[in-house]
Every structure is written in structure tokens, then in C-alpha cells.
Amino acid sequence: MLNTAFADEEAKANRLLRVPKQRLGNVPAVMATVIYAVAPVIRLTNLGIRQVSPEAVEAARSFGTTPIQMLTKVQVPMALPTIMAGINQTIMMALAMVVVASLVGAGGLGEAVLRAMGRGEAGNSLIAGLAIVAIAIIIDRVTQSVARERQRALTGE
């Protein structure tokens, strides 16, 4: 009796972790990822533009810049390090959705993690998960270096 109950629970777990045969596809996965991950870049872009020094804005106004010129030539370039932090966080959040997106049929490394988990292959699941982490670390370092270079250009170092 106890063995059959355990077998039933194990069968349920395997059904939950299995990649679905009917796939919704890439479009719903991308839409869900964008909706989930876009908040940091919006919030940090707003913060960066609001933190541009009032002296720089006033100087640009005194030279007769239009509102569009003010935004594109003064505020966005000076806010770029903060905007890059938002882009970095958005990318990290999107990579966090890789396995979830594979549940609706997006494929990729998330599907490798999901298939390995469904088969009970902890080693293969770990390897695919570490590949996702490695991609996240590489992208994080690249975006941080771009932001650091921009910060150096702004401060004149």
C-alpha cells in the first residue's frame, strides 16, 4: 500500500516536470519574459534622468535646447550608468525566466534543465543550470564594464 502511494506521487511529480507536448511557443514566452523583466529598466531610467544635475539642465536650457535635445543630448547621456544598471537587472531577470519559459515550449537551455529534472538526472540539470548562470555572469560583466566606461567618460578620468 505504501509503495503504491509513493509510486502515484512520483508519477504526479514526473507529469509536472515533463515538457508539454502541446507547445504554446516562443511568442507567449517572450511576452511573459518582457512583462516580467521590463520593470527595472523603466524604473532606473526614470531615476537616472531625474538625478541629472540641475546645473547641467539649466546650462543646456540657457543654450536654447529643445525638450527633445535636452533629453537626448544631456539627460540620457548623463543618466547612462543608471540606465545600464537597469538594463543589467532586466537581463538578469529575463535569464531567470528561462526555465519558466520552457514550460510553455520556448526551448533552449531551460528545456534542457526541465527535461533533465523530469528524468531525474540531477547532474545534467545542474550542468544546464550552470550554463545559464555562466551566461548571466558574462552578460553582467559586459554591461557593468560598459557602464563603468561611460561613468569614466562623464567624470573625465
Side-chain angles (χ1 to χ4, degrees), residues 3-153:
N3 288 340
T4 58
F6 179 73
D8 289 340
E9 291 299 317
E10 187 177 9
K12 282 183 192 176
N14 284 339
R15 269 186 261 125
L16 288 174
L17 293 173
R18 194 172 306 138
V19 176
K21 288 182 176 50
Q22 286 184 324
R23 296 173 163 223
L24 296 175
N26 290 337
V27 175
V30 169
M31 288 177 58
T33 301
V34 167
I35 291 168
Y36 173 74
V38 77
V41 76
I42 292 171
R43 187 174 51 85
L44 287 170
T45 300
N46 181 13
L47 176 69
I49 289 173
R50 283 189 290 125
Q51 286 182 339
V52 171
S53 70
E55 293 85 13
V57 172
E58 185 60 33
R61 272 199 195 114
S62 68
F63 284 112
T65 60
T66 65
I68 294 294
Q69 288 174 330
M70 175 73 71
L71 184 66
T72 59
K73 306 279 185 195
V74 178
Q75 291 175 319
V76 170
M78 292 186 80
L80 201 57
T82 308
I83 294 170
M84 287 303 295
I87 290 171
N88 186 357
Q89 290 304 306
T90 297
I91 292 170
M92 295 303 120
M93 289 179 75
L95 283 172
M97 287 287 290
V98 168
V99 177
V100 175
S102 70
L103 288 171
V104 294
L109 282 174
E111 186 174 358
V113 171
L114 197 62
R115 284 189 191 276
M117 286 173 58
R119 293 179 184 149
E121 299 169 346
N124 287 340
S125 180
L126 179 67
I127 290 170
L130 288 175
I132 294 169
V133 169
I135 290 170
I137 290 170
I138 291 168
I139 292 173
D140 178 55
R141 297 299 181 243
V142 168
T143 55
Q144 282 182 0
S145 69
V146 169
R148 201 174 308 117
E149 288 298 318
R150 184 66 194 158
Q151 186 66 36
R152 283 188 195 133

